[in-house]
Amino acid sequence: MNILILNFILSTPVDGKIIRRDTNRDTMIYNMARGFVKNGHTVTLLCADEFRPLREETNDFEVVYFKSRLSRLFKPWLLPFPAGLARYLRRHKDEVDMVLTVETFSVPTLIASAVCRDKLMIWQEMSYHQRLMRNLPSKIWHNIVMPLSIRGVLTVPQSEAARRFISGYQPAVSAMCVPHGVNDDIFRPDPDGSSEKCFVVISMLVRRKRVDRIIEKFARFVENSGQTDYRLLIVGDGDEAPALKHLAESSGVGANVEFLGFRSHDEIAAIGRHATALLVDTDRDLNMVSVSEALANGTPVLMNTVPNTSAYVTEMGLGIAKDGWDWMDLNEMIARYDEFHGNCVACRNSFTNTGCAGRLVKIFESRGAVKG
């Protein structure tokens, strides 16, 4: 198949600022594009020009960047309005077999629905109304714009929470949920299945990620369990880094906590592959790609239930997902590592780019069975 993917926001902004990287190769949608290609499809990815990488990059799929229109109103990091998209779709719609767009609340989705509706499928991540202006723009979109223009387009939720949310506005919703898929060439379990005495955090070091709570819980774990040789590896960068380093020192675990900074996916996979668990205690997230990466890597997860991804962890026995987890749960992750790791390996295809891409194509090909 010739597949066109519309994903104009490539990475999460920090305080409304787009962080451009040397390459976009480690972004979620690039990995998904590779999954389609590895399954034998031809892919073209459409993105906002504001996310263009700082250096030229070579991919096994085409990437087309669009400048954003009316950027003060349609902020490129929130609700981009790509100039020339309708013209591009009209020119190429007869060349493609499937158009995959991300989110119902999206100007590109609205444009694609008008131009190539018969080939369109929506991949839905949001499981609640966007908080901007007290949810008003999102509620207007879902209650007025969608019934007029998007209603009836096949929608595939990325989580059960997203399915419940979008089913209130969209009749044609797939019963099968398909999460973000991660690069299965990079994130893969170690054959010997062993773990080292360490936990890992993979996160932007910003306030909402609450890495401070993780450090405090790890400090209690070291003090109360006597596991003084355990380490906490923190991968990522952000404004909170100096305060977090000070917290580790003042909590008495400065020698046990290592701040590794921003790393590539190859490095992240190698660091996390032998960790006892990935730790998450975020205040606000949807589907955390780092969780899917860990699971595909054979690494169990200890997390709160804020991210929608937590449902998979509970249902498949891939770790512990509960709010208010503490140092005693770190002990349980150690005790049950073999069980959780084995389940991660057994369920790995559910989180890889090839597995997720394959399920999306299968749903699209059977779309006549989903009534709109």
Side-chain angles (χ1 to χ4, degrees):
M1 295 177 74
N2 290 326
I3 298 175
L4 194 62
I5 302 177
L6 281 61
N7 191 111
F8 284 79
I9 301 175
L10 291 183
S11 59
T12 303
V14 177
D15 296 328
K17 181 181 179 181
I18 295 171
I19 306 299
R20 293 178 62 194
R21 302 288 187 186
D22 286 343
T23 176
N24 289 324
R25 69 181 299 273
D26 288 341
T27 59
M28 179 279 294
I29 203 64
Y30 268 50
N31 283 319
M32 283 299 298
R34 292 189 196 99
F36 285 111
V37 171
K38 288 172 68 176
N39 287 342
H41 305 290
T42 301
V43 174
T44 302
L45 174 62
L46 310 187
C47 310
D49 189 67
E50 287 78 5
F51 292 89
R52 186 187 292 269
L54 297 174
R55 297 180 180 178
E56 291 292 327
E57 55 184 9
T58 301
N59 301 292
D60 48 7
F61 52 90
E62 183 182 4
V63 183
V64 181
Y65 292 96
F66 291 77
K67 291 189 178 298
S68 297
R69 180 182 296 169
L70 304 173
S71 58
R72 288 189 177 182
L73 178 62
F74 296 92
K75 299 183 186 302
W77 54 269
L78 183 63
L79 191 65
F81 189 161
L85 176 61
R87 182 170 59 253
Y88 179 94
L89 292 176
R90 283 194 294 268
R91 186 185 308 133
H92 295 282
K93 66 178 182 179
D94 294 334
E95 305 167 10
V96 301
D97 303 297
M98 168 181 158
V99 179
L100 180 67
T101 182
V102 179
E103 300 299 341
T104 51
F105 185 21
S106 159
V107 174
T109 297
L110 180 63
I111 294 171
S113 180
V115 177
C116 49
R117 184 184 183 90
D118 58 327
K119 298 179 179 181
L120 185 63
M121 185 168 73
I122 304 170
W123 197 23
Q124 177 75 19
E125 180 177 16
M126 291 298 296
S127 56
Y128 50 79
H129 289 293
Q130 286 192 3
R131 296 184 176 93
L132 178 70
M133 296 174 62
R134 298 185 178 181
N135 310 134
L136 186 59
S138 179
K139 288 182 177 179
I140 291 174
W141 187 278
H142 286 85
N143 287 286
I144 298 176
V145 177
M146 276 189 62
L148 294 174
S149 305
I150 304 173
R151 184 177 174 86
V153 176
L154 175 59
T155 301
V156 181
Q158 296 186 18
S159 65
E160 180 60 26
R163 189 192 66 78
R164 289 193 300 268
F165 169 73
I166 201 59
S167 293
Y169 304 96
Q170 178 71 296
V173 178
S174 168
M176 180 186 295
C177 300
V178 182
H180 296 155
V182 305
N183 192 332
D184 55 9
D185 287 333
I186 296 175
F187 293 95
R188 59 188 186 277
D190 192 280
D192 66 14
S194 62
S195 66
E196 298 176 357
K197 290 189 173 184
C198 68
F199 298 103
V200 65
V201 172
I202 300 170
S203 170
M204 293 187 296
L205 303 185
V206 295
R207 184 62 179 170
R208 68 180 174 84
K209 294 290 189 176
R210 297 314 304 261
V211 178
D212 58 325
R213 289 198 299 236
I214 295 176
I215 292 174
E216 290 168 351
K217 293 172 184 182
F218 177 74
R220 290 195 290 271
F221 161 79
V222 171
E223 178 182 0
N224 294 312
S225 69
Q227 300 273 17
T228 56
D229 53 350
Y230 252 83
R231 296 174 297 148
L232 176 63
L233 310 180
I234 299 178
V235 180
D237 56 12
D239 294 342
E240 289 284 303
L244 294 172
K245 291 176 182 178
H246 177 74
L247 175 62
E249 291 290 342
S250 62
S251 299
V253 288
N256 300 72
V257 180
E258 299 179 34
F259 290 85
L260 304 179
F262 179 81
R263 297 298 180 98
S264 69
H265 273 192
D266 294 280
E267 294 172 302
I268 288 172
I271 292 167
R273 187 167 291 128
H274 295 289
T276 301
L278 173 76
L279 307 182
V280 176
D281 199 19
T282 181
D283 275 346
R284 189 176 75 255
D285 271 291
L286 280 171
N287 298 318
M288 294 181 65
V289 178
S290 60
V291 172
S292 296
E293 290 169 350
L295 300 177
N297 216 25
T299 307
V301 179
L302 173 59
M303 66 186 302
N304 61 1
T305 65
V306 172
N308 294 332
T309 328
S310 62
Y312 298 113
V313 172
T314 299
E315 291 166 9
M316 300 179 182
L318 309 175
I320 298 172
K322 71 176 189 180
D323 294 326
W325 63 265
D326 209 338
W327 69 270
M328 291 176 289
D329 297 295
L330 294 172
N331 275 333
E332 185 172 354
M333 295 302 297
I334 296 171
R336 299 178 64 184
Y337 172 80
D338 289 341
E339 170 196 347
F340 292 146
H341 170 75
N343 291 342
C344 289
V345 174
C347 298
R348 179 173 179 267
N349 191 57
S350 299
F351 305 101
T352 64
N353 53 355
T354 51
C356 292
R359 291 200 297 281
L360 285 170
V361 169
K362 183 177 180 180
I363 293 169
F364 180 78
E365 291 177 336
S366 61
R367 61 194 182 280
V370 180
K371 302 299 181 182

